[in-house]
Amino acid sequence: MKLWRTIREDIACGAGLLTRLPLGWLRVSGQDWSLARSVWCWPLVGAMVGILSASVFLLLSALNVPSLVGAAWSVGLQILLTGGLHEDGLADMADGCGGGHTAEKRLTIMRDSRIGSYGALALGISLIVRVATLAALPPSMILPAMAVTGALSRSILPLLTFLTKPARDNGLAQQLSSLTRDQLLGALFSGFCVTVICFPAQLGLQTILAALFTMLGVRAVARKMLGGYTGDVLGATASLAECVLLTVLASAWKS
């Protein structure tokens, strides 16, 4: 019974952070809220968002709506479900890294709620890539592709926090600085399971490696330009990972 209450609390915490879905009723009164403990369900939440978004594409495809239009609506629903959380992080990181000359200045820019030219360009490019690559996939690949990209793009976030120090002493990044190895393995295992279920071995390995290299690339930039990671860096990582993974899948299908 205690284990079930903990699972409910973790799902409520993870889904509450990553989506705008009304799952607060899962929270158990009196149970400790732990963001770090909830990371095991982040890939599952990402997969759920991907499946819901893919369903819109498949529905529109059944109604003979062109693939490009269906892909745009699918990505739009995905952003609606997540509240634009990852896109906001991508825009903030692009503005900060593009407009500041020191780590302190970049972090200050990233706290500004206004979007700059670098952020707008990053958002525009990421949306174009996601819509175009999704439209390039056959309908039979949409559901597994969206599930896997949703899962892997979230499973690499705890790994980034485990390998990197936070750039600030407060906020989301600080809450994840105490992540344990077992919690990290739980998140990686969840993402791995979704990938194994959806893809054959070779394609699954390609997507896992693509996600890992994306995370390492963003981590290198964050360490050099910001001195560590922030919540915006995590959001940017998830958004860029989705772009890279969908590109890999579109390329694999065409080949």
Side-chain angles (χ1 to χ4, degrees):
M1 185 63 69
K2 183 178 179 181
L3 176 61
W4 170 240
R5 289 198 299 267
T6 300
I7 291 174
R8 284 183 56 182
E9 187 73 8
D10 288 349
I11 294 175
C13 181
L17 171 68
L18 299 175
T19 76
R20 293 298 181 265
L21 295 173
L23 297 178
W25 56 271
L26 286 172
R27 187 168 187 181
V28 182
S29 177
Q31 188 80 5
D32 291 335
W33 183 286
S34 173
L35 194 62
R37 195 186 64 211
S38 74
V39 297
W40 68 267
C41 74
W42 288 12
L44 304 182
V45 173
M48 177 180 63
V49 170
I51 290 170
L52 291 174
S53 303
S55 299
V56 171
F57 184 101
L58 296 176
L59 175 61
L60 294 175
S61 179
L63 297 174
N64 294 320
V65 174
S67 296
L68 193 62
V69 179
W73 279 105
S74 180
V75 172
L77 177 62
Q78 186 180 38
I79 294 173
L80 180 65
L81 291 173
T82 61
L85 176 69
H86 308 308
E87 289 74 20
D88 180 68
L90 175 63
D92 286 344
M93 185 174 178
D95 279 334
C97 292
H101 299 290
T102 64
E104 292 76 14
K105 180 61 176 177
R106 294 177 187 123
L107 290 171
T108 300
I109 293 174
M110 288 168 66
R111 283 192 181 276
D112 193 335
S113 60
R114 294 169 296 181
I115 187 171
S117 56
Y118 292 107
L121 288 169
L123 279 179
I125 293 171
S126 70
L127 291 176
I128 291 171
V129 170
R130 286 158 65 184
V131 170
T133 51
L134 194 58
L137 294 173
S140 61
M141 280 287 292
I142 296 298
L143 194 62
M146 292 292 280
V148 170
T149 55
L152 288 182
S153 61
R154 275 70 170 182
S155 68
I156 57 175
L157 303 184
L159 181 58
L160 192 154
T161 68
F162 190 79
L163 297 175
T164 317
K165 67 177 183 179
R168 297 191 181 103
D169 295 329
N170 52 27
L172 173 66
Q174 183 60 34
Q175 295 182 52
L176 292 170
S177 62
S178 60
L179 193 71
T180 67
R181 183 174 298 178
D182 288 343
Q183 290 167 342
L184 169 63
L185 291 176
L188 295 176
F189 181 72
S190 296
F192 175 79
C193 287
V194 174
T195 306
V196 168
I197 291 172
C198 293
F199 287 157
Q202 182 176 356
L203 186 56
L205 179 60
Q206 289 177 1
T207 55
I208 289 173
L209 290 177
L212 288 174
F213 281 119
T214 301
M215 182 276 296
L216 291 174
V218 178
R219 175 178 180 265
V221 173
R223 289 184 64 193
K224 181 177 181 179
M225 304 194 75
L226 305 174
Y229 74 91
T230 67
D232 286 331
V233 171
L234 298 182
T237 303
S239 188
L240 290 172
E242 288 196 354
C243 291
V244 171
L245 292 174
L246 287 173
T247 300
V248 169
L249 294 174
S251 176
W253 173 254
K254 290 299 182 182
S255 63

